[in-house]
Amino acid sequence: MRSLESFPRVSLGVFPTPVQKLENISRLLHTNVYVKRDDLSGLGLGGNKVRKLEFLLADAKEKGAELVFTTGGAQSNHAMLTAAAAGKLGMKAILILKKRGVTACKGNQLLEKLMGTEVRFVDTDDYADIYAEMDRVGKELGLPYYKIPCGGSNALGSLGYVSCARELRDQGFRPDYLICAEGSGGTMAGLSLGAKLFLPGTKVFGMMVDTDPFDRITPALMREAAALLEAEVQITEEDFHLRDMCGPGYAIASREGNAAVSLMAEQEGLFLDPVYTGKAFAGLLAMAGEGAFKPEDKVLFLHSGGAGGLFAVDMNA
Ligand SMILES: *Cc1c(COP(=O)(O)O)cnc(C)c1O
């Protein structure tokens, strides 16, 4: 297997991120709940995209790119962090965003304005159109450019979360359960593959917050990432676990998600967001309610960030 160090990587964040026990929530749920603080990953307002961007933007630099494109909804945390990272590395970023969600100068749109990021909205839900627009603009500007997919979720990006699993091992923390949000798939795929390689016995659960076919997307990304790493592993159905927590739709608040946001804020003074981490934590609460966890289990929740969107997204559910 190739080592993670053999891939080009730029330093954008502050790692390792802390693992903390949630004492009050552990007491309420009669098990041991911990949080991996990737909301403190050290760039912008933190979040999971920083780990992916360390690999993706290193690849962009190595390929001589001066301009990076990415996409997502209007309040994409990933797009905002891509702009922040590109600026730090001396590259120009152009965000080609879907006209979906809050386009007003709030939340991540506000942060992009502060950074002077070029944002272009396109009125389509079809990513093929968006990638074609990137090529059109890239050629028009005549700069060497690099396209990062929605959420940074390709095999290279997901190495960021293979690396997070190894970081947990190096922190001496092997959870029985590891729970994350799944929105475009790279985080879940990286953690699931990383757990298989570095955290034997840890079951990874992806709480789906969108309606894409993650039962196919997750193992496909895991296999591609394993191929990049030249890891001799067989990916099977046992290597990843999914649960539908989308509720009324992607980026539309759910009652369960909002209740989870409130519980975390009241009990632990930590802020989740209604689009990703609130719904993911609601999935953890639902599993606890079903008796999935034993009193001696260690259940680790990945706090993947989302603070930017928290100040824009409507929490009425
Ligand atoms: C993007 C994002 C996720 C989902 O991660 P994916 O790798 O896209 O599945 C989770 N939480 C937050 C806050 C995000 O911005």
Side-chain angles (χ1 to χ4, degrees):
M1 179 179 143
R2 276 180 70 176
S3 79
L4 286 162
E5 279 64 41
S6 70
F7 292 84
R9 189 167 179 176
V10 288
S11 173
L12 294 169
V14 180
F15 301 110
T17 57
V19 174
Q20 296 167 331
K21 187 164 187 192
L22 300 176
E23 296 287 354
N24 296 329
I25 286 179
S26 294
R27 220 171 295 121
L28 286 173
L29 302 185
H30 309 291
T31 188
N32 304 289
V33 185
Y34 297 80
V35 62
K36 174 74 168 156
R37 296 293 306 274
D38 272 16
D39 58 319
L40 299 179
S41 60
L43 179 73
L45 302 179
N48 61 337
K49 303 309 178 315
V50 179
R51 290 187 193 268
K52 299 178 182 186
L53 288 165
E54 289 200 342
F55 287 94
L56 292 165
L57 289 177
D59 189 44
K61 281 224 121 170
E62 187 146 290
K63 293 188 167 135
E66 291 170 35
L67 169 63
V68 291
F69 289 105
T70 198
T71 183
Q75 288 296 328
S76 167
N77 300 305
H78 161 72
M80 185 277 285
L81 281 167
T82 301
K88 196 170 146 82
L89 296 172
M91 292 188 270
K92 178 178 171 63
I94 299 182
L95 311 180
I96 310 273
L97 303 182
K98 294 191 282 189
K99 232 182 195 147
R100 185 152 85 135
V102 180
T103 55
C105 189
K106 290 201 277 191
N108 284 304
Q109 282 300 316
L110 170 64
L111 301 176
E112 284 151 21
K113 190 180 168 70
L114 296 181
M115 294 185 286
T117 308
E118 185 171 337
V119 178
R120 301 188 184 202
F121 286 107
V122 284
D123 209 357
T124 176
D125 265 333
D126 186 348
Y127 279 115
D129 293 345
I130 292 177
Y131 297 123
E133 178 67 3
M134 292 176 183
D135 288 324
R136 197 188 63 73
V137 177
K139 282 182 192 123
E140 187 180 284
L141 295 178
L143 291 172
Y145 64 92
Y146 187 88
K147 294 183 284 185
I148 296 178
C150 177
S153 284
N154 56 18
L156 188 62
S158 68
L159 293 189
Y161 273 87
V162 174
S163 153
C164 179
R166 191 184 61 172
E167 181 177 296
L168 283 165
R169 185 210 55 193
D170 294 345
Q171 286 176 305
F173 194 87
R174 194 195 59 74
D176 297 287
Y177 294 88
L178 172 49
I179 289 164
C180 66
E182 179 152 21
S184 63
T187 302
M188 171 62 182
L191 283 177
S192 302
L193 176 61
K196 198 171 166 76
L197 298 171
F198 302 114
L199 300 168
T202 296
K203 285 196 183 75
V204 185
F205 276 76
M207 301 297 176
M208 301 181 283
V209 302
D210 204 341
T211 52
D212 297 314
F214 291 113
D215 54 334
R216 279 181 284 139
I217 293 169
T218 312
L221 258 179
M222 288 172 72
R223 287 188 188 108
E224 281 176 54
L228 265 186
L229 283 166
E230 297 165 19
E232 305 279 327
V233 288
Q234 221 51 45
I235 307 298
T236 72
E237 300 278 290
E238 262 99 83
D239 294 320
F240 65 96
H241 308 271
L242 303 173
R243 185 183 181 111
D244 179 10
M245 293 305 298
C246 186
Y250 172 71
I252 304 173
S254 70
R255 226 177 275 276
E256 297 78 9
N258 287 356
V261 172
S262 295
L263 183 76
M264 187 70 105
E266 287 165 16
Q267 296 294 324
E268 304 287 350
L270 295 182
F271 296 105
L272 303 176
D273 75 293
V275 180
Y276 296 100
T277 52
K279 288 181 179 179
F281 195 63
L284 184 156
L285 295 175
M287 286 178 71
E290 291 158 7
F293 310 131
K294 296 195 283 290
E296 65 276 18
D297 279 343
K298 286 194 273 183
V299 181
L300 180 64
F301 178 69
L302 178 78
H303 191 335
S304 46
L310 179 61
F311 294 98
V313 178
D314 188 352
M315 282 195 68
N316 290 324

